[in-house]
Amino acid sequence: MDWFDNIVKTFFDFEAMIVVLPQLLGTGLVNTLIISIAATVIGVVLGMIVAVMGISTSRWLRIPARIYTDIFRGLPAILTILLIGQGFARFSQSLFGPSPYPLGILALSLIASAYIGEIFRAGIQSVDRGQLEACRALGMSYGKAMRLVVVPQGIRRVLPALVNQFIAIVKDSSLVYFLGLLVSERELFRVGQDAAVLTGNLSPLVMAGLFYLMITIPLTHLVNYFDNRFRTGRRKATPPKSGLDEVDELQPQTPVALTYGSNT
């Protein structure tokens, strides 16, 4: 059973996990959530702009949106992060100092906006065109009809896909470590990797993976819940009533007093 003991010591050394736990909680988890949430918020804003440009009737707006989407969806995430993080390092130093933290968020935001833009575009185009025509018949402008009627319905339909994209951003946030973050800016993967290098044990990385699972698995089930809720609606299915019950309700009820009177 030496092989089993080696596996346990390599991947499930609880002492090594407990030692790195405070750093994973206090530094890694916080920075992972900051990077992921900030990249998602910026990506949603940029993605909506890309989606509106993508469905525009003007080719001067539609073609740049298509090129933007193809580039940032086609490039590997790590390549985009390195190009943004290293290419704009000097410019970033004048604004944010030597930390590459903001550039990592910017790179993830650009990647996320390309995917989120396609999600929004698909959701908006899935809305029945008759609703837009009805709004125009009521005297609403195209922009007002899109803003008040079409776009809100499209966003509601793609909420599960947006949560899925947030899960992808949480996992891609581990790639920011290639930019060389400061000690206080390390995310989950970097904290686990540093501890694994110092101890010569992979248990800290396993612990970091457990933290990723604690974030992504509940969100995955939340996506399934929203998806089922939007598909089935809010009403719960009830069994059909028997037609005999409805017939009984239509028949006049015999007064109780007359019933007793007839027996006497």
Side-chain angles (χ1 to χ4, degrees), residues 50-67:
V50 172
V52 173
M53 292 174 62
I55 62 176
S56 174
T57 55
S58 174
R59 64 178 183 178
W60 298 105
L61 295 176
R62 190 173 62 255
I63 293 177
R66 185 73 265 169
I67 295 174

Side-chain angles (χ1 to χ4, degrees), residues 258-264:
L258 295 178
T259 302
Y260 286 116
S262 61
N263 293 331
T264 56

Side-chain angles (χ1 to χ4, degrees), residues 99-253:
S99 173
Y101 199 83
L103 291 178
I105 295 176
L106 175 61
L108 288 176
S109 301
L110 295 177
I111 298 170
S113 64
Y115 288 94
I116 293 175
E118 283 297 287
I119 293 173
F120 280 148
R121 183 182 64 82
I124 293 172
Q125 291 181 337
S126 68
V127 179
D128 187 14
R129 188 169 180 80
Q131 298 195 32
L132 178 61
E133 295 174 354
C135 293
R136 298 301 300 273
L138 293 175
M140 298 176 65
S141 64
Y142 176 82
K144 188 175 183 180
M146 291 291 293
R147 186 176 68 255
L148 298 180
V149 179
V150 178
V151 173
Q153 294 186 63
I155 294 176
R156 180 180 179 273
R157 294 183 179 186
V158 300
L159 280 178
L162 289 177
V163 179
N164 271 330
Q165 186 58 40
F166 177 73
I167 294 174
I169 294 173
V170 170
K171 293 185 292 184
D172 287 343
S173 66
S174 61
L175 300 175
V176 177
Y177 95 97
F178 281 103
L179 300 180
L181 298 175
L182 302 177
V183 175
S184 60
E185 298 172 346
R186 296 177 303 169
E187 32 70 46
L188 284 173
F189 175 76
R190 186 58 185 272
V191 172
Q193 186 197 36
D194 290 345
V197 171
L198 292 175
T199 60
N201 192 289
L202 295 178
S203 299
L205 274 177
V206 174
M207 192 66 179
L210 293 177
F211 274 94
Y212 280 111
L213 292 178
M214 286 189 292
I215 298 174
T216 57
I217 290 178
L219 288 176
T220 302
H221 289 288
L222 185 64
V223 168
N224 296 332
Y225 170 78
F226 279 133
D227 190 39
N228 294 331
R229 188 70 177 271
F230 292 153
R231 287 178 184 273
T232 60
R234 295 185 176 181
R235 292 185 177 182
K236 295 183 178 179
T238 56
K241 293 182 179 181
S242 173
L244 297 177
D245 295 337
E246 298 179 356
V247 173
D248 293 339
E249 293 178 358
L250 295 176
Q251 292 179 355
Q253 299 292 332

Side-chain angles (χ1 to χ4, degrees), residues 62-82:
R62 190 173 62 255
I63 293 177
R66 185 73 265 169
I67 295 174
Y68 177 91
T69 302
D70 289 341
I71 291 176
F72 285 103
R73 289 181 67 188
L75 290 176
I78 183 58
L79 181 58
T80 302
I81 292 173
L82 288 177

